Amino acid sequence: MKLLSNFVSRFTGPRQTATIAKERLQIVVSHERAGGGDIDFLPKLRHELMAVIGKYINIDQDQINVHLQRSGSCSVLELNITLPGDGSTL
Amino acid sequence: MTKPNSKIIVVTSGKGGVGKTTTSAAIGAELARRGNKTVVVDFDIGLRNLDLIMGCERRVIYDFVNVINNDANISQALIKDKREENLYILPASQTRDKDALSQEGVERVLNALKEEFDFVVCDSPAGIERGALMALYFADEAVIVTNPEVSSVRDSDRIIGVLNSRSRRAELGQELKKHLLVTRYSPARVKKGEMLSLEDVQEILAIPLLGIIPESTAVLNASNQGVPVTLGPVSDARKAYQEAVGRLLGEGTEDADSKGWTSKFMDGLRVLWSPA
């Protein structure tokens, strides 16, 4: 197989690693410039959300889940709060 | 009185091991060789190495932190180079914690150095912690040292962001001139497609190019002996650093000059690229 791929790449040329490096860099750098790289605020956001929600509903520390996900050109901030009991406490 | 044209230049990169100290020593020595009174300041508190690269490690008595804490005055801490009469170094301390670099203290020392020197070259530590932030905060110009490699380019981009937002010039709304210096460049590996090309790096970082330092045995040979590359024997790296300093000093007209040498370099690459 290796022989074959070597043989093929003699004609097609391998996908150059420098090209891959450049593409990866362009993506990560554009995210970081947009401020997407700086997610240091997530723990603080989680803490403050807890405080606000805690004013109305009695929730546990570990019942709140904040997650930031990036895909393509957009980012999704996902907030998951599990309410205690069957919701009758509302 | 501050010298009228005194300039603070920070040599920075974000990533470690890309050649900041080598570059600080080489640029500082070349500026001095050309008649500019120059001091190179080591901001890497706790891990000083500039003294070793410049070959004065056995002459360190007082250091930067001693001066900040008023345990010594600047003239006691400055080490005069034995080769270049215009060249001095201010070593970092070896033992104290990096919080010793207070902003007021750093400002006071840099202001005092500006009274004496044409150029104050600040050798930044790696990272974006206090030492690195202090090294760049008061800078008038920045040399961003980058290897043609993904982690180095990414970190350079981060540090450019820090220069644009957290330097004093940025806070005052003044321009902070940024220069890209690509080090450890290997045209042969670029040709094979295994290394990011100069154009790739420039396209991503989008700051003007100061120079390209080729991967060279001269660099390790120089640091082995504690001789700044620009004061060592003739080599490709010495020539490249000397040209970079020429451009830093604004030799020739900016455009014609950069066009001239870039196209010369490109011609060289084109020869390498041409089909066998």
Side-chain angles (χ1 to χ4, degrees), chain B residues 41 82 101 106 110 154 167 215 221 252 261 271:
Chain B
V41 183
K82 288 194 165 161
L101 287 183
V106 171
L110 291 181
R154 179 202 209 170
S167 62
E215 173 81 64
N221 279 327
W261 74 270
V271 170

Side-chain angles (χ1 to χ4, degrees), chain B residues 93-110:
Chain B
S93 82
Q94 186 68 292
T95 53
R96 316 230 189 159
D97 69 317
K98 54 182 182 286
D99 294 334
L101 287 183
S102 67
Q103 185 165 310
E104 301 70 39
V106 171
E107 181 169 28
R108 184 167 49 80
V109 173
L110 291 181

Side-chain angles (χ1 to χ4, degrees), chain B residues 6-221:
Chain B
S6 183
K7 249 184 209 165
I8 299 180
I9 298 173
V10 61
V11 176
T12 187
S13 69
K15 190 177 182 298
V18 297
K20 281 182 298 298
T21 302
T22 298
T23 297
S24 299
I27 288 181
E30 179 64 12
L31 284 168
R33 201 183 62 82
R34 292 179 183 225
N36 305 285
K37 201 169 176 201
T38 303
V39 59
V40 190
V41 183
D42 191 349
F43 275 77
D44 204 346
I45 305 303
L47 292 170
R48 83 162 164 245
N49 274 318
L50 181 68
D51 55 337
L52 206 52
I53 297 301
M54 295 186 70
C56 59
E57 69 276 10
R58 297 179 63 182
R59 297 168 60 207
V60 176
I61 301 167
Y62 294 109
D63 59 53
F64 196 0
V65 173
N66 292 141
V67 179
I68 287 179
N69 292 340
N70 289 315
D71 297 330
N73 61 42
I74 288 181
S75 57
Q76 287 174 305
L78 284 176
I79 303 171
K80 189 178 194 306
D81 190 86
K82 288 194 165 161
R83 299 152 294 213
E84 278 303 323
E85 65 164 342
N86 285 316
L87 183 60
Y88 290 77
I89 107 157
L90 181 58
S93 82
Q94 186 68 292
T95 53
R96 316 230 189 159
D97 69 317
K98 54 182 182 286
D99 294 334
L101 287 183
S102 67
Q103 185 165 310
E104 301 70 39
V106 171
E107 181 169 28
R108 184 167 49 80
V109 173
L110 291 181
N111 280 340
L113 292 174
K114 282 178 90 170
E115 290 175 16
E116 286 287 317
F117 292 93
D118 299 307
F119 287 96
V120 180
V121 178
C122 301
D123 181 21
S124 172
I128 46 176
E129 302 287 322
R130 183 163 196 89
L133 295 179
M134 281 302 105
L136 67 80
Y137 184 73
F138 296 101
D140 298 307
E141 297 189 22
V143 174
I144 290 112
V145 183
T146 307
N147 289 171
E149 179 274 322
V150 287
S151 56
S152 175
V153 176
R154 179 202 209 170
D155 290 357
S156 290
D157 192 70
R158 292 287 312 271
I159 213 78
I160 291 168
V162 174
L163 285 161
N164 286 338
S165 60
R166 298 176 72 180
S167 62
R168 185 169 63 172
R169 281 191 169 249
E171 287 174 4
L172 296 173
Q174 295 170 343
E175 192 206 357
L176 195 165
K177 235 187 194 175
K178 292 173 283 287
H179 310 272
L180 174 65
L181 187 76
V182 177
T183 56
R184 308 199 67 166
Y185 195 72
S186 168
R189 301 191 71 189
V190 171
K191 181 195 164 203
K192 282 196 237 160
E194 346 174 305
M195 182 180 269
L196 286 165
S197 71
L198 179 63
E199 290 69 32
D200 293 343
V201 177
Q202 267 191 290
E203 188 184 324
I204 290 162
L205 296 179
I207 57 170
L209 185 67
L210 184 69
I212 310 150
I213 313 301
E215 173 81 64
S216 168
T217 53
V219 174
L220 187 56
N221 279 327

